[in-house]
Amino acid sequence: MNGAIWWAAAATAVGTFLIRMLPLYVMQRCMSRVSDIERERQLPEWPGVLAPLMIAALLGLSLPPHPSSALGWSSMVVGSLATLCLWYKTRTLGLPVAAGVAAYTLMLFIGS
Amino acid sequence: MNVKAWRMGACEALPLLSGYLPVALSFGLIAGQAGFSPLEATALSLFIYAGASQFLFVGMIAGGAPLWLTVVMTLLINARHLVYSITLAPWISQNRRWPWLMHGLTDQVFALANYRLPLLSEHDRISWFSSTAIVAWAGWGGGTLMGSLAGEQLIQRWPLLANAMTFALPALFWVLLAPRFTSIRWFIALLASVLSALMLSLHDMTNIAIPLAAALGALCFYLLPASTARTRS
């Protein structure tokens, strides 16, 4: 990797960090100047709506199996159902994920 | 430092790690094929730390694209992260360490933090977030190094395992999203986002899928009448 590529990588790294950090820094500065009640009033409503929708988009993006095949898609459906069923029963985070991965793997194993 | 919150954060980051490893292995492998040494590929993962855009960065450089264009395109893909820290701001204190911790705010860490931070006390939040972000970051960097050094052999030896591990991320997103299906309005908006992102992904438009699908979901949410916003009992 030559010097110019290192500079490009550094610019990308700094730029990405600023994209993640600056909005919070600016908000922290604004919020530090107002009272708690005023703070509640100043917080916009839209991030609360957008956040779950972005997670939904992440879910949609991560669903297609690689490589895409009938077995991959059916494993995805079974894995998703297992995850949701266990979440409904337990309302926890770790166990449903483990069950989903186990069901998905089992389907792949049986089908392969 | 709150040890309990640290441990909780590290445990909850494990599904992320499981999802990150196969992708990080692939990145290490591809970066190696594009002429980056294992050390260079790992440095890219640790400092840029932005999943899909790293693939674009390496691909554009290997393809001989102008460096300025490579930087601009990579940052454009990462621009969606602008919304993440604003969304988490209500649960973030004035502690000066928080802005530095935002280096670890990836899509997946954001999804997890958006679920967990409101449930924690203010005192526990920074410890929880620090450990979650560090475990995920180390996993991504370590996975890249492994991929650069022995990615091909690992994927060839355990193809089923590498494939199965990728399901940890969708499973985690299902669990994070399930409590949000509280009304018809939310149901339709979330489903619109999931399905549109899925369709965009199938048409190789992954880079714009997240902002576009979220915007479509938001449109559904705001267009639906308030009568559909009743919460389930």
Side-chain angles (χ1 to χ4, degrees):
Chain A
M1 199 155 88
N2 65 37
I5 297 175
W6 274 113
W7 279 110
T12 308
V14 171
T16 303
F17 174 63
L18 290 176
I19 285 171
R20 287 170 176 160
M21 183 271 267
L22 271 181
L24 178 75
Y25 181 74
V26 171
M27 269 197 107
Q28 275 188 323
R29 291 289 294 263
C30 294
M31 293 297 134
S32 66
R33 294 194 205 112
V34 296
S35 67
D36 282 355
I37 300 161
E38 196 65 25
R39 196 176 298 170
E40 293 258 319
R41 213 177 299 152
Q42 278 195 2
L43 284 169
E45 189 204 59
W46 62 265
V49 172
L50 204 57
L53 297 170
M54 290 188 100
I55 298 170
L58 285 167
L59 170 66
L61 205 60
S62 64
L63 280 177
H66 299 283
S68 183
S69 62
L71 176 65
W73 282 102
S74 48
S75 303
M76 184 274 286
V77 172
V78 170
S80 297
L81 288 175
T83 306
L84 287 172
C85 284
L86 212 74
W87 172 82
Y88 191 76
K89 287 246 176 210
T90 63
R91 307 279 164 145
T92 55
L93 201 69
L95 211 58
V97 174
V101 173
Y104 180 81
T105 313
L106 195 68
M107 277 293 289
L108 284 180
F109 186 71
I110 292 168
S112 62
Chain B
M1 190 180 80
N2 184 334
V3 178
K4 203 177 153 202
W6 262 84
R7 203 176 300 140
M8 184 187 187
C11 287
E12 291 187 345
L14 290 179
L16 298 186
L17 210 59
S18 171
Y20 275 8
L21 275 177
V23 187
L25 279 174
S26 307
F27 176 72
L29 192 65
I30 286 166
Q33 287 164 354
F36 291 85
S37 72
L39 205 66
E40 289 167 348
T42 310
L44 288 181
S45 274
L46 291 177
F47 294 116
I48 299 178
Y49 188 39
S53 66
Q54 284 179 222
F55 283 89
L56 181 81
F57 183 87
V58 164
M60 284 184 80
I61 283 179
L67 289 177
W68 67 267
L69 187 65
T70 306
V71 174
V72 169
M73 289 305 291
T74 311
L75 292 178
L76 269 178
I77 291 176
N78 294 339
R80 67 181 183 279
H81 292 179
L82 277 169
V83 184
Y84 291 170
S85 60
I86 297 178
T87 307
L88 297 181
W91 301 290
I92 287 177
S93 66
Q94 296 292 317
N95 191 314
R96 283 166 188 263
R97 279 193 324 201
W98 271 114
W100 297 104
L101 285 170
M102 291 300 110
H103 177 59
L105 192 65
T106 59
D107 296 320
Q108 295 77 15
V109 171
F110 160 72
L112 196 57
N114 187 58
Y115 168 85
R116 181 55 72 195
L117 289 183
L119 304 175
L120 294 173
S121 69
E122 195 175 327
H123 175 66
D124 291 341
R125 286 176 191 154
I126 199 160
S127 299
W128 180 89
F129 189 89
S130 303
S131 65
T132 302
I134 288 170
V135 168
W137 185 62
W140 182 252
T144 303
L145 185 63
M146 270 164 60
S148 304
L149 294 171
E152 212 157 345
Q153 293 95 306
L154 286 171
I155 290 170
Q156 271 173 4
R157 187 173 290 186
W158 293 297
L160 184 68
L161 183 68
N163 199 352
M165 280 166 74
T166 57
F167 190 73
L169 284 183
L172 179 68
F173 292 139
W174 272 125
V175 174
L176 297 176
L177 216 54
R180 301 282 181 167
F181 288 92
T182 51
S183 64
I184 298 170
R185 192 188 198 185
W186 268 114
F187 186 88
I188 293 172
L190 291 169
L191 207 64
S193 285
V194 173
L195 292 178
S196 52
L198 180 69
M199 293 310 290
L200 289 166
S201 160
L202 291 175
H203 287 89
D204 287 330
M205 294 164 81
T206 50
N207 291 334
I208 54 159
I210 297 173
L212 214 60
L216 188 75
L219 195 69
C220 289
F221 183 85
Y222 285 112
L223 285 180
L224 282 167
S227 59
T228 55
R230 261 177 315 194
T231 307
R232 270 188 324 182
S233 57

